[in-house]
């Protein structure tokens, strides 16, 4: 789950990272008030969960409260990469001497968090990593011991930070590590961390991504989820504990297990079709969950056929069949449906569906071929 | 022979008094797995499976009473890290964690601690292990595989069942099937299992089932190239997955241009692995 800049910076500040004075506004009038309170120049920053806000004109400098109001009006009416701007952050403008990068993320291959810094801040760090990897200084953090003081000093030295700033950099590094650890983040990033003209370090921008699996112990953070970035069907799916991702094709997929769900999509593509979604109903799904999954798939107007592939283990074929029948009574699908049931109680499931006017298949390849043909309007029985 | 588990494995089950855990404990026991004890804090002294298997309050007590050497964990995600620490501290050297949805930072701490203790972890978020005819540790349906000479290693669950089923349909049996799980931070990886299969005299051929995310398949390809003499066939799921989206498994994501199915397939094919176009093709690739 991604957090907005203002949310991320407030969390960083809680753990001791210096951030500019500022507040978030939902209207131009509020933006003006905040700018008046701050006095001087302010930055008006769109709060949307995509990169490239600056390039899109979503980050602007205002010299007066009335200019802040004007810019806020413009920015609040924008869409950036398809996402509506609902809030702007009004921050005191910093006097920037130099910009650096500081971030922590999970290094999957090393199985540890890694702190990364670069003297080239304020730009896309992935680009820096690609073009000039030697400019990124890294330190892996022992997850049992935490960040050590010398590691922060090594990083400070590695990015040629002036010695008089090492102490404050060390504090910021430790604060960022604490914010990362205690929020169960998978990314905590300050880009840029600026050196101001009066030689202070300030986190001008911030970004956090939280581990969805750990939100159970952070109910306060879980509430910050921005639903704009998700398709409505994905939000609906999460309510039922279904894993659903919308795609662009026309063959709806309902499968149990993530690997098999991906594979079913791949096999559809292999036989010349296009999957409309990824959908894993999970292990041990009951009829109610299956019915919800079915409704979500069929709510997509592009659907021309549906492929149901269930390999029963914990999930029982008869339960899935009952769920399908329940949902069919409600939504009365007009598209052909191909069903393949194997494993636990598959025979009972097949019998339940015998009169439901569905196309059956024995193998995954056969099922995919039939779904592709059905989506093209061919007659299959 | 087989790898990791067989009929002599003395297994305890952590969290096998819960609804899900008990369901699978019954199936493991019925399969003939040597399930010697269950562990649920607060339920010590009770018995499960019609009084055949005792329950203890802690792994330490269960190990003292039964001399168990492996544990299978069904404990809910929020308590799973604690369960793994407990098993390692009690001296259990093989820990199989079925639980899905364990926080990533918990797994980083667990993995680092278990490495220090010399304990092997399989999983988490995995279907477990199956040595057909000897031991079923986890949730792989027992009836979809027969004993044989094919070693199977996979990041997936039901996709693995699909492959086991396809092998059985053609009369091909399995030495051991290892589900290493779909999380970004796990225990045993492809290379660990490939090395065990290469050393195992019963295993003659190997099936590797990977998916998008991370670089473990690429590392496996390098290992196969350098160290494997036995033929390997494989399948990589997620060729049609869009970048930046987690495809159900926490570890199945293409980010920053890494983890692509196409790169994994290319690396494996370069190492001589035969890659199937769809999972039902795998047994055919092993036959000739």
């Amino acid at each position: 789950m991604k957090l907005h800049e203002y949310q991320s910076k407030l969390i960083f500040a809680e753990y001791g990272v210096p951030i500019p004075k500022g507040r978030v506004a939902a209207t131009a009038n509020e933006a003006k008030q905040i700018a008046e309170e701050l006095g001087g120049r302010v930055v008006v920053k769109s709060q949307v969960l995509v990169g490239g806000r600056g390039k899109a004109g979503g980050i602007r400098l205002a010299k007066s409260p009335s200019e802040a109001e004007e810019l806020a009006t413009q920015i609040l009416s924008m869409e950036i990469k398809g996402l509506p701007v609902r809030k702007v952050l009004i921050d005191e403008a910093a006097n920037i001497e130099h910009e650096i990068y500081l971030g922590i993320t999970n290094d999957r291959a090393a199985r540890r968090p890694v702190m990364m810094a670069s003297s080239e801040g304020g730009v896309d760090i992935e680009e820096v990593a690609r073009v000039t990897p030697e400019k990124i200084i890294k330190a892996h953090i022992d997850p049992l011991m935490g960040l050590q003081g010398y590691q922060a000093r090594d990083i400070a030295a590695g990015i040629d930070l002036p010695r008089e700033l090492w102490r404050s950099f060390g504090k910021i590094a430790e604060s960022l590590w604490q914010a990362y650890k205690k929020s169960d983040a998978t990314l905590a990033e300050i880009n840029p961390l600026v050196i101001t003209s009066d030689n202070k370090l300030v986190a001008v921008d911030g970004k956090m991504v939280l581990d969805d699996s750990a939100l159970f112990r952070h109910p306060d953070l879980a509430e910050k989820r921005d639903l704009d970035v998700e398709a409505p069907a994905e939000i609906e799916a999460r309510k039922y504990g279904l894993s659903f991702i919308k795609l662009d094709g026309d063959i709806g997929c309902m499968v149990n297990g993530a690997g098999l769900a991906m594979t079913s999509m791949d096999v559809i593509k292999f036989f010349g079709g296009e999957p409309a979604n990824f959908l894993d109903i999970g292990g041990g799904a009951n009829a109610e969950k299956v019915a919800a999954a079915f409704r979500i798939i069929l709510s997509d107007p592009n659907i021309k056929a549906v492929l149901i592939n269930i390999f029963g283990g914990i999930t029982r074929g008869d339960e899935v069949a009952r769920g399908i029948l329940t949902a069919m009574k409600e939504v009365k699908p007009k598209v052909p449906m191909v069903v393949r049931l194997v494993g636990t109680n598959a025979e009972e499931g097949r019998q339940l569906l015998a009169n439901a006017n569905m196309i059956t298949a024995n193998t995954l390849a056969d099922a995919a071929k039939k779904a592709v043909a059905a989506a093209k309007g061919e007659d299959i029985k | 022979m087989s790898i990791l588990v067989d009929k002599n494995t003395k297994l305890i089950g952590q969290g096998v008094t819960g609804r899900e855990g008990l369901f699978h404990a019954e199936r493991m026991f019925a399969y003939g797995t040597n399930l010697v004890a269950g562990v649920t804090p607060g339920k010590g002294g009770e018995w499960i499976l019609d009084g055949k298997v005792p329950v203890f309050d802690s792994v330490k007590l269960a190990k003292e009473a039964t001399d168990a050497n492996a544990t299978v964990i069904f404990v809910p995600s929020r308590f799973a890290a604690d369960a793994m620490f407990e098993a390692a501290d009690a001296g259990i050297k093989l820990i199989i964690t079925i639980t899905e949805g364990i926080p990533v930072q918990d797994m980083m701490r667990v993995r680092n601690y278990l490495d220090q203790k010399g304990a092997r972890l399989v999983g988490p978020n995995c279907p477990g292990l199956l040595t057909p005819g000897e031991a079923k540790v986890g949730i792989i349906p027992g009836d979809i595989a027969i004993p044989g000479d094919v070693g199977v290693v996979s990041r997936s669950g039901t996709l693995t069942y699909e492959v086991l089923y396809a092998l059985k349909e053609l009369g091909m049996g399995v030495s051991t099937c290892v589900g290493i799980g779909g999380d970004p931070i796990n225990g045993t990886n492809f290379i660990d299992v490939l090395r065990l299969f290469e050393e195992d005299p019963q295993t003659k051929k190997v099936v590797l089932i990977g998916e998008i995310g991370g670089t473990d398949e690429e590392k496996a390809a390098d290992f196969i190239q350098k160290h494997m003499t036995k033929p390997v066939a494989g399948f990589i799921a997620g060729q049609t997955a869009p970048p930046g989206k987690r495809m159900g498994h926490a570890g199945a994501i293409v980010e920053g241009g890494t983890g692509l199915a196409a790169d994994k397939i290319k690396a494996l094919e370069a190492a001589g692995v035969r890659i199937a176009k769809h999972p039902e093709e795998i047994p055919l690739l092993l036959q000739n």
Side-chain angles (χ1 to χ4, degrees):
Chain A
M1 175 182 133
K2 289 180 185 170
L3 293 182
H4 284 289
E5 176 197 357
Y6 75 96
Q7 297 167 329
S8 307
K9 287 200 310 207
L10 284 174
I11 293 172
F12 294 167
E14 243 175 77
Y15 290 91
V17 177
I19 60 169
K21 276 187 197 152
R23 251 182 22 242
V24 76
T27 65
N29 191 31
E30 272 178 77
K32 185 184 177 192
Q33 281 175 19
I34 296 166
E36 276 166 359
E37 284 167 33
L38 293 171
R41 295 181 312 147
V42 296
V43 193
V44 183
K45 307 177 88 178
S46 55
Q47 300 295 294
V48 280
L49 295 176
V50 288
R53 289 177 299 161
K55 272 185 203 152
I59 300 178
R60 306 279 296 274
L61 186 70
K63 294 186 198 71
S64 66
S66 60
E67 195 183 354
E69 183 182 24
E70 198 178 303
L71 290 172
T73 307
Q74 284 175 27
I75 294 175
L76 283 167
S77 66
M78 285 171 70
E79 270 196 6
I80 300 179
K81 294 184 184 167
L83 294 177
V85 180
R86 300 194 193 276
K87 282 178 179 158
V88 286
L89 175 63
I90 312 299
D91 262 0
E92 204 172 53
N95 291 309
I96 300 170
E97 277 299 307
H98 187 71
E99 301 186 328
I100 59 182
Y101 171 93
L102 180 66
I104 307 176
T105 189
N106 291 336
D107 184 340
R108 189 170 168 166
R111 300 180 213 101
R112 282 156 193 254
V114 61
M115 178 170 271
M116 292 186 291
S118 170
S119 57
E120 313 265 308
V123 292
D124 181 3
I125 197 67
E126 279 175 12
E127 186 65 11
V128 177
R130 203 173 55 80
V131 183
T132 49
E134 71 281 0
K135 288 197 171 151
I136 296 179
I137 306 299
K138 292 183 183 181
H140 282 97
I141 300 170
D142 185 319
L144 299 169
M145 307 257 292
L147 179 75
Q148 302 299 307
Y150 78 90
Q151 294 184 301
R153 288 194 299 278
D154 282 354
I155 289 175
I159 60 168
D160 296 324
L161 195 71
R163 282 212 175 91
E164 65 269 25
L165 288 173
W166 285 12
R167 186 185 286 268
S168 50
F169 179 83
K171 278 187 191 158
I172 289 171
E174 174 62 20
S175 300
L176 189 66
W177 162 246
Q178 290 300 331
Y180 173 88
K181 187 176 132 183
K182 293 191 176 145
S183 314
D184 272 294
T186 57
L187 175 76
E189 186 178 80
I190 304 173
N191 190 21
L193 177 64
V194 308
I195 306 175
T196 60
S197 51
D198 55 352
N199 221 19
K200 290 205 166 69
L201 290 168
V202 180
V204 161
D205 202 346
K207 186 173 166 186
M208 275 186 115
V209 182
L210 305 180
D211 179 2
D212 286 318
S213 296
L215 288 175
F216 68 84
R217 52 189 173 209
H218 307 287
D220 51 327
L221 298 178
E223 280 175 17
K224 298 182 194 286
R225 188 185 290 275
D226 180 347
L227 298 176
D228 280 343
V229 291
E230 295 175 49
E234 292 175 12
I235 298 165
E236 179 72 8
R238 193 172 50 236
K239 267 199 265 172
Y240 289 94
L242 301 161
S243 185
F244 176 89
I245 294 165
K246 167 104 180 65
L247 302 168
D248 297 329
D250 55 12
I251 300 176
C253 303
M254 182 165 88
V255 187
N256 64 325
L260 191 57
M262 275 188 273
T263 302
S264 301
M265 287 159 42
D266 295 349
V267 178
I268 286 172
K269 177 94 174 174
F270 177 70
F271 288 111
E274 289 291 340
N277 66 278
F278 166 91
L279 176 71
D280 171 13
I281 58 169
N286 56 24
E288 189 199 359
K289 208 166 162 180
V290 171
F294 209 64
R295 280 195 300 271
I296 290 165
I297 293 173
L298 290 169
S299 68
D300 180 348
N302 298 328
I303 295 282
K304 296 209 180 91
V306 176
L307 170 64
I308 299 160
N309 183 28
I310 303 296
F311 202 108
I314 323 175
T315 308
R316 289 162 37 193
D318 56 330
E319 278 284 331
V320 173
R322 267 188 272 277
I324 294 170
L325 292 174
T326 309
M328 279 176 80
K329 271 184 222 149
E330 277 176 51
V331 287
K332 302 199 172 47
K334 291 177 187 69
V335 298
M337 277 178 292
V338 180
V339 61
R340 174 185 178 242
L341 294 176
V342 193
T344 312
N345 295 4
E347 191 45 47
E348 291 88 328
R350 280 193 284 262
Q351 280 169 14
L352 282 168
L353 295 177
N355 300 319
N357 194 27
M358 299 177 105
I359 303 160
T360 56
N362 290 323
T363 66
L364 172 53
D366 183 34
K369 276 184 221 168
K370 284 177 173 163
V372 172
K376 287 178 180 158
E378 293 168 24
D379 197 22
I380 308 137
K381 270 289 158 278
Chain B
M1 286 283 285
S2 55
I3 67 166
L4 297 169
V5 291
D6 58 25
K7 58 183 184 302
N8 298 315
T9 303
K10 284 187 186 169
L11 182 73
I12 60 172
Q14 289 173 257
V16 287
T17 54
R19 193 178 60 92
E20 192 112 316
L22 191 57
F23 176 88
H24 293 292
E26 279 165 5
R27 274 151 191 80
M28 287 190 283
F29 194 79
Y31 192 78
T33 310
N34 193 11
L35 181 68
V36 295
V39 171
T40 301
K43 298 212 169 172
E46 294 182 15
W47 292 74
I48 53 168
L49 309 184
D50 301 326
K52 295 191 195 81
V53 176
V55 178
F56 296 86
D57 280 323
S58 72
V59 178
K60 187 167 175 280
L61 291 171
K63 185 170 187 290
E64 279 167 7
T66 64
D67 201 25
N69 56 8
T71 180
V72 60
I73 296 177
F74 289 96
V75 171
S77 59
R78 60 183 70 196
F79 309 115
D82 183 60
M84 288 184 270
F85 286 134
E86 185 188 356
D89 273 343
I92 302 284
K93 298 295 180 199
L94 179 60
I95 300 168
I96 298 112
T97 303
I98 308 303
T99 310
E100 180 178 356
I102 302 173
V104 183
Q105 291 195 18
D106 284 6
M107 276 319 301
M108 291 195 290
R109 287 188 279 270
V110 166
R111 176 64 206 266
N112 275 273
Y113 187 72
L114 265 52
D115 283 353
Q116 287 171 25
K117 284 274 170 178
R120 176 192 287 282
L121 172 68
V122 177
N125 187 14
C126 82
L129 305 162
L130 178 67
T131 294
E134 297 201 27
K136 163 178 146 69
V137 177
I139 63 175
I140 301 173
D143 59 351
I144 58 171
I146 51 176
D149 64 4
V150 181
V152 179
V153 58
S154 172
R155 275 170 71 185
S156 182
T158 48
L159 173 56
T160 315
Y161 309 165
E162 190 78 64
V163 174
L164 293 176
Y165 183 73
L167 287 167
K168 187 186 171 189
E169 289 280 287
L170 290 178
M172 297 171 79
V174 168
S175 55
T176 299
C177 174
V178 184
I180 61 173
D183 269 13
I185 310 288
N186 63 359
T188 300
N189 62 22
F190 280 128
I191 294 178
D192 299 327
V193 181
L194 290 171
R195 186 178 286 126
L196 293 170
F197 280 143
E198 178 67 17
E199 289 164 3
D200 172 40
Q202 185 189 332
T203 304
K204 305 285 186 222
K205 302 162 181 176
V206 176
V207 173
L208 181 150
I209 303 161
E211 64 189 26
I212 54 163
T215 53
D216 278 5
E217 288 80 3
E218 285 88 334
K219 289 178 191 153
D222 186 55
F223 178 85
I224 290 166
Q225 178 111 53
K226 289 181 180 142
H227 305 289
M228 293 279 293
T229 59
K230 299 175 182 178
V232 183
F235 180 77
I236 303 294
Q239 296 174 53
T240 48
K245 293 271 187 185
R246 264 173 223 290
M247 307 301 283
H249 290 157
I253 180 167
V254 174
E255 4 177 40
T258 64
L260 283 162
D263 293 342
K264 294 172 187 294
I265 291 171
K266 203 173 141 198
L268 287 164
E269 283 186 330
V273 178
R274 295 175 177 196
I275 298 292
K277 307 239 175 0
H278 55 85
E280 288 150 340
E281 200 187 36
I282 289 179
L284 307 175
L285 296 180
L286 289 175
Q287 275 180 332
N288 44 53

